[in-house]
Amino acid sequence: MELRAEDIQPLHQILISLMLGMLVGLQRQWADPSLGGIRTFPFIALLGTTCAVISEKIGTWMMGLGFFAILCLIILGNLIKRFPGELRTHSRLGTELAMLLVFMAGAMVRIGPTWLAAALAGIVAVVLHAKIELHGMASRFNEKELKAIMQFTLISLVIFPLVPNESLGPMKIFNPRDVWLMVVLIVAISLGGYIIYKFFGRKAGILLGGILGGIISSTATTVTQAKMNRQDSDKSWTCALVIIVAWATVYIRLAFEVGLVAPSFGKIWFPLLTLFVAAIVPVPFLWKKASQQRGMPLQSNPTELKTAFVLAALYSVILFAVAFAKKYAGTEGLYITAFLSGITDMDAITLSTSRLVENGTLIPEEGWRTIVIAVISNTTFKGLIARFWGGKVFFRILLVPWTIAMAAGIALLIFF
């Protein structure tokens, strides 16, 4: 049977419930898993959604019955906690909730949709089987990292829905909801890289270390690797390779951001591809020179609320500056704004420019040139960082890759 788009919606809702339950369960597993943790709370969320789906078929009383079942299990779990010995160790409710969910899946087989029943049972089986992995994952987070996840939850799930969705200010280009969405996007990418680093980064080789550095922050990676070179000059080639891979990864990150906020901005793909190819050309040579693999340097929390507000302010200022320069200062003013904006950050100028191209304020030709000029500015700044923190000898290693990256950007502006 062919599934229509509207038929898939309940599955999306079940998956969202699973993720939301996992989020709460992660916090409980880390802080106090005596009654429920990283498996129990997803099951509770799944039970609520499943009851709602079945209620559409047989009546709203099913929601009341599901709530009553959860209430009984909570009371039972708290009573068991009062007993000593083996009974107390059984105070978690994962198995009992799984039983309820399998019962619901069995009922759904009869009342439909059958495929959703199969999906639900499969999710329950996977979560039950992954007990050791899920508990191990939760135990590896420290308080600082869990705080990072909760701050991202605050930024994306609590603050974002409350932000007004209307155009304000001069030229009507400032939309608070769009601004905060850009913040959520930037922080989500950085947090995703940080979590990958958490589980793989410290054992990562050079290439993965550089890729994660580009996802989290290529500027921070440049600083840390340049400092590391100062401490251990025997690893200069390794540090340089991590930096170059991080610089190349930035273009993949920018392409992802543009694709999300401005899918019709097709003119940007060739410049980004050209810059990426230019960045990776020196990688094989540096790889041969690197003496041994090295993991990622310690990374900081990318979701601090202060960081989020700074990103929001930066994006808003650049959005106004680009639109204002285009309207009142002409193309030259636009490109000067791009160069200044790109010195320390590429995300804000890329996202703001892409949004303006998408809504027609900028033409694509101006848009990609603005981003490339910002790239040249950013690459210049990171080269100066490497020279300042790493020293003259270290910068000589980076000079050819840095020059190729700069030349690629300038060639695009002249010939493309």
Side-chain angles (χ1 to χ4, degrees):
M1 182 181 67
E2 184 178 352
L3 296 177
R4 298 168 300 177
E6 56 268 26
D7 295 328
I8 301 296
Q9 186 178 11
L11 178 60
H12 290 169
Q13 293 167 344
I14 280 180
L15 293 176
I16 291 171
S17 293
L18 177 67
M19 293 297 103
L20 293 177
M22 196 81 72
L23 175 65
V24 178
L26 173 64
Q27 197 283 330
R28 286 290 81 202
Q29 184 72 40
W30 188 86
D32 179 19
S34 60
L35 188 59
I38 198 168
R39 295 190 308 155
T40 302
F41 282 88
F43 284 160
I44 293 174
L46 287 172
L47 184 62
T49 303
T50 305
C51 286
V53 171
I54 295 178
S55 293
E56 296 176 356
K57 303 280 187 178
I58 63 176
T60 55
W61 59 268
M62 177 57 71
M63 285 297 299
L65 185 62
F67 178 78
F68 180 73
I70 293 294
L71 185 62
C72 289
L73 286 176
I74 292 173
I75 294 173
L76 178 62
N78 278 284
L79 287 175
I80 292 176
K81 284 172 63 177
R82 298 177 180 272
F83 289 93
E86 293 185 3
L87 279 176
R88 185 171 183 176
T89 64
H90 190 66
S91 59
R92 300 184 187 180
L93 308 175
T95 301
E96 290 81 357
L97 285 164
M99 290 178 179
L100 285 173
L101 282 167
V102 172
F103 173 81
M104 295 290 185
M108 202 179 292
V109 169
R110 177 66 181 88
I111 64 177
T114 304
W115 65 268
L116 188 60
L120 176 63
I123 290 172
V124 172
V126 169
V127 174
L128 285 173
H129 186 71
K131 176 180 179 179
I132 295 176
E133 290 79 4
L134 290 173
H135 287 181
M137 179 189 73
S139 65
R140 290 182 63 180
F141 285 106
N142 58 36
E143 184 176 2
K144 178 183 178 181
E145 292 157 352
L146 193 66
K147 179 183 176 183
I149 295 173
M150 295 306 139
Q151 286 176 329
F152 177 68
T153 302
L154 178 64
I155 292 169
S156 59
L157 300 183
V158 179
I159 297 178
F160 177 67
L162 301 177
V163 178
N165 184 17
E166 56 182 309
S167 297
L168 305 170
M171 297 178 282
K172 297 293 182 182
I173 63 168
F174 176 72
N175 186 307
R177 178 72 63 89
D178 283 349
V179 171
W180 203 252
L181 179 61
M182 298 304 107
V183 173
V184 171
L185 175 61
I186 295 171
V187 173
I189 293 172
S190 298
L191 180 60
Y194 181 83
I195 290 176
I196 295 173
Y197 155 75
K198 172 65 182 178
F199 289 97
F200 303 105
R202 292 177 184 176
K203 297 180 180 180
I206 302 171
L207 293 181
L208 182 56
I211 291 169
L212 293 175
I215 293 174
I216 300 170
S217 172
S218 62
T219 302
T221 300
T222 302
V223 172
T224 53
Q225 292 295 328
K227 287 182 177 179
M228 198 175 293
N229 168 75
R230 285 270 194 182
Q231 299 168 0
D232 187 359
S233 59
D234 291 337
K235 301 298 185 295
S236 296
W237 292 100
T238 301
C239 294
L241 179 56
V242 173
I243 289 174
I244 296 304
V245 173
W247 290 3
T249 304
V250 168
Y251 304 121
I252 300 176
R253 173 179 176 139
L254 297 182
F256 178 74
E257 292 174 353
V258 173
L260 285 180
V261 305
S264 65
F265 189 10
K267 284 272 189 178
I268 191 62
W269 301 123
F270 180 77
L272 287 180
L273 178 62
T274 301
L275 291 167
F276 173 74
V277 171
I280 64 172
V281 163
V283 168
F285 175 76
L286 291 173
W287 176 265
K288 290 181 180 180
K289 290 288 187 177
S291 58
Q292 66 181 55
Q293 292 190 335
R294 179 191 293 273
M296 276 281 289
L298 184 64
Q299 297 289 338
S300 60
N301 176 5
T303 64
E304 293 285 356
L305 291 182
K306 179 181 178 180
T307 302
F309 287 120
V310 169
L311 286 172
L314 184 61
Y315 173 82
S316 302
V317 169
I318 292 176
L319 189 69
F320 276 120
V322 170
F324 183 88
K326 168 61 179 172
K327 186 172 181 179
Y328 297 105
T331 303
E332 294 78 6
L334 172 65
Y335 295 156
I336 292 173
T337 301
F339 188 86
L340 295 175
S341 301
I343 290 176
T344 58
D345 180 80
M346 278 302 304
D347 291 312
I349 183 64
T350 300
L351 289 169
S352 59
T353 301
S354 300
R355 293 294 291 177
L356 291 173
V357 170
E358 187 73 3
N359 64 29
T361 303
L362 292 179
I363 62 173
E365 176 79 9
E366 294 171 330
W368 76 257
R369 286 181 174 275
T370 298
I371 292 174
V372 169
I373 289 172
V375 166
I376 294 173
S377 170
N378 189 256
T379 304
T380 301
F381 180 68
K382 286 185 290 193
L384 294 175
I385 287 177
R387 170 62 180 85
F388 178 78
W389 289 108
K392 185 185 298 185
V393 175
F394 181 63
F395 184 66
R396 286 176 185 169
I397 298 174
L398 290 174
L399 182 59
V400 172
W402 181 72
T403 303
I404 293 174
M406 295 286 289
I410 294 171
L412 281 169
L413 295 177
I414 296 173
F415 300 110
F416 182 58

